[in-house]
């Protein structure tokens, strides 16, 4: 919830945001009407993946950052596979 | 020692994982499940554990746990907004300045935010006092991107920090941000990344804290921020 509020405040101030969240947060992300969200199939507490899995971390982060260019409207939620 | 004659109910058992005597932040979602669903989850998890040993593959255990966490969190109450803001970026990533802000509770060991006025608070104390955290305004820790992982600490009473203790990048991907910047995915990083404890007063965050954070990031000249909740 906290990060959702940060995203809404930043977007209101013309600072774009993208959120990387675990899939378990999908409902709360949708309810908060957030701009760009990448959902990852990871366990709570490790949204970028397992410790030291650099390749996985990088792929997730890169996919999220690309959403800054591709998303066109609020509520853009994408699953990372 | 006198034994209690009162048998613990299954409902009491699953509730005890949510800041009770069996507190386990990876399994606190059990308290959000109906007892029938929780019992099925536990039974299925036991089966998956044995299969995973036979098959030498933990994938099914992870999937079962993931499904349980999803089922539990789906039932939680939350802020509900009909609409939300969207700032469309009008330039390519290659010309953008990015920053990182997470609610993972990372900070520099040399710059402990001393939550609730406590020096050297442990993770266990943070879990024990999570409901005090929920009444407080959050504090934004600043972490230079060049800091080594060994210089960082994580403390957060709302989630299982074990993975983040081993490798901060699981929830605070600051080294991965540097790598993507070096590869030219985006133009520039701010000098520092930022983190706070997301278990905080939402009212104070909205009314008191966020206006200051917005000013701060505006002054940094950032185009976009990667946000990571835990």
């Amino acid at each position: 919830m906290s990060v959702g509020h940060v995203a809404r405040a930043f977007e209101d101030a013309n600072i774009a945001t993208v959120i990387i969240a675990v899939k378990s947060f999908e409902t709360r992300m949708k309810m908060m009407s957030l701009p760009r969200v990448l959902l990852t199939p990871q366990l709570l507490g490790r949204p970028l993946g397992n410790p030291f899995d650099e390749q996985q971390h990088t792929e997730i982060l890169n996919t999220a950052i690309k959403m800054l260019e591709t998303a066109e409207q609020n509520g853009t939620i994408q699953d990372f596979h | 020692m006198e034994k209690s004659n009162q048998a613990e109910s299954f409902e009491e058992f699953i509730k005890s994982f949510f800041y009770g005597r069996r507190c386990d932040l990876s399994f606190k979602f059990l308290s959000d499940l109906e007892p029938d669903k929780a019992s099925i989850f536990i039974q299925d998890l036991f089966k998956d554990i044995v299969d995973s040993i036979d098959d030498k593959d933990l994938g099914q255990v992870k999937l079962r746990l993931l499904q349980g966490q999803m089922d539990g969190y789906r039932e939680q109450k939350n802020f509900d907004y009909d609409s939300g803001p969207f700032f469309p970026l009008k330039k390519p990533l290659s010309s953008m300045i990015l920053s990182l802000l997470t609610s993972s509770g990372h900070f520099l060991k040399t710059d402990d935010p001393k939550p609730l006025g406590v020096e050297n608070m442990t993770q266990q104390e943070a879990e024990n006092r999570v409901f005090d955290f929920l009444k407080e305004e959050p504090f934004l820790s600043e972490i230079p991107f060049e800091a080594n992982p060994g210089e960082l600490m994580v403390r957060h009473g709302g989630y299982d920090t074990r993975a983040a203790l081993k490798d901060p990048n699981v929830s605070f991907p600051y080294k991965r941000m540097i790598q993507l910047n070096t590869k030219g995915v985006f133009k520039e990083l701010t000098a520092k990344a930022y983190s706070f404890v997301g278990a905080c007063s939402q009212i104070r965050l909205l009314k008191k804290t966020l206006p200051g954070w917005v000013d701060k990031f505006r002054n940094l000249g950032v185009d976009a921020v990667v946000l990571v909740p835990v």
Side-chain angles (χ1 to χ4, degrees):
Chain A
M1 287 186 289
S2 299
V3 161
H5 284 134
V6 174
R8 291 174 62 90
F10 280 16
E11 297 275 339
D12 272 334
N14 295 348
I15 299 170
T17 63
V18 59
I19 294 175
I20 302 171
V22 292
K23 179 81 173 165
S24 300
F25 289 169
E26 183 171 13
T27 302
R28 63 171 64 178
M29 293 288 123
K30 285 181 175 170
M31 290 176 75
M32 292 193 80
S33 295
L34 299 169
R36 305 165 195 82
V37 180
L38 180 67
L39 296 172
T40 68
Q42 304 296 335
L43 299 178
L44 292 166
R46 34 187 79 64
L48 276 290
N50 295 336
F52 309 112
D53 190 345
E54 285 191 24
Q55 185 180 344
Q56 174 90 305
H57 300 169
T58 305
E59 286 173 4
I60 289 172
L61 184 60
N62 197 31
T63 304
I65 288 174
K66 291 281 165 61
M67 289 178 72
L68 291 166
E69 271 189 334
T70 58
E72 295 179 345
Q73 61 184 8
N74 178 278
T76 301
I77 297 180
Q78 185 177 324
D79 278 295
F80 180 84
H81 297 288
Chain B
M1 184 183 286
E2 191 175 328
K3 270 191 174 177
S4 168
N5 291 325
Q6 184 108 20
E8 184 180 29
S9 70
F10 182 70
E11 193 163 1
E12 289 169 334
F13 170 75
I14 58 175
K15 297 285 182 202
S16 70
F17 287 86
F18 183 85
Y19 300 105
R21 66 192 181 93
R22 295 185 185 86
C23 181
D24 186 321
L25 300 184
S26 282
F27 288 88
K28 66 177 180 177
F29 69 88
L30 284 169
S31 69
D32 291 305
L33 297 177
E34 292 296 322
D36 280 357
K37 281 189 176 177
S39 69
I40 291 168
F41 167 79
I42 291 169
Q43 190 175 12
D44 287 343
L45 183 63
F46 285 174
K47 287 177 184 169
D48 290 336
I49 289 170
V50 174
D51 284 340
S52 73
I53 292 168
D54 289 340
D55 301 340
K56 298 185 177 65
D57 178 8
L58 281 171
Q60 187 55 36
V61 171
K62 180 181 175 182
L63 280 177
R64 183 70 59 194
L65 184 50
L66 188 60
Q67 188 60 53
Q69 292 179 344
M70 287 166 58
D71 290 344
Y73 274 72
R74 195 178 297 122
E75 303 302 323
Q76 288 189 351
K77 290 179 181 166
N78 191 26
F79 283 82
D80 195 357
Y81 298 105
D82 291 333
S83 61
F86 182 83
F87 177 64
L89 285 161
K90 296 180 180 71
K91 53 184 175 181
L93 275 171
S94 56
S95 62
M96 284 187 206
I97 301 173
L98 265 58
S99 192
L100 171 68
L101 197 168
T102 77
S103 63
S104 55
H106 283 91
F107 56 93
L108 285 173
K109 288 176 181 172
T110 54
D111 192 21
D112 188 328
K114 301 183 181 70
L116 307 172
V118 176
E119 297 260 0
N120 301 316
M121 179 183 279
T122 63
Q123 172 64 19
Q124 187 60 57
E125 287 174 285
E127 292 178 21
N128 294 344
R129 298 193 65 182
V130 70
F131 298 106
D132 293 328
F133 275 85
L134 291 172
K135 298 173 189 162
E136 293 290 316
E137 186 182 358
F139 178 84
L140 194 62
S141 290
E142 301 186 355
I143 300 165
F145 274 99
E146 69 263 26
N148 294 316
E151 296 176 75
L152 271 57
M153 181 53 74
V154 62
R155 180 181 54 225
H156 191 306
Y159 76 101
D160 183 341
T161 57
R162 284 178 293 179
L165 272 172
K166 292 171 188 166
D167 177 6
N169 292 286
V170 302
S171 54
F172 182 73
Y174 74 127
K175 292 302 181 192
R176 306 292 94 81
M177 292 282 285
I178 294 173
Q179 287 170 345
L180 290 180
N181 181 222
T182 304
K183 283 182 182 173
V185 173
F186 56 93
K187 181 187 172 189
E188 193 176 328
L189 265 176
T190 51
K192 293 172 180 171
Y194 302 85
S195 189
F196 70 104
V197 174
C200 63
S201 162
Q202 297 302 299
I203 300 301
R204 290 177 197 268
L205 174 70
L206 284 165
K207 304 280 186 197
K208 199 171 171 189
T209 318
L210 277 173
W213 289 6
V214 165
D215 286 345
K216 183 182 193 69
F217 280 78
R218 266 190 183 144
N219 291 336
L220 290 170
V222 296
D223 296 296
V225 183
V226 174
L227 300 170
V228 186
V230 289

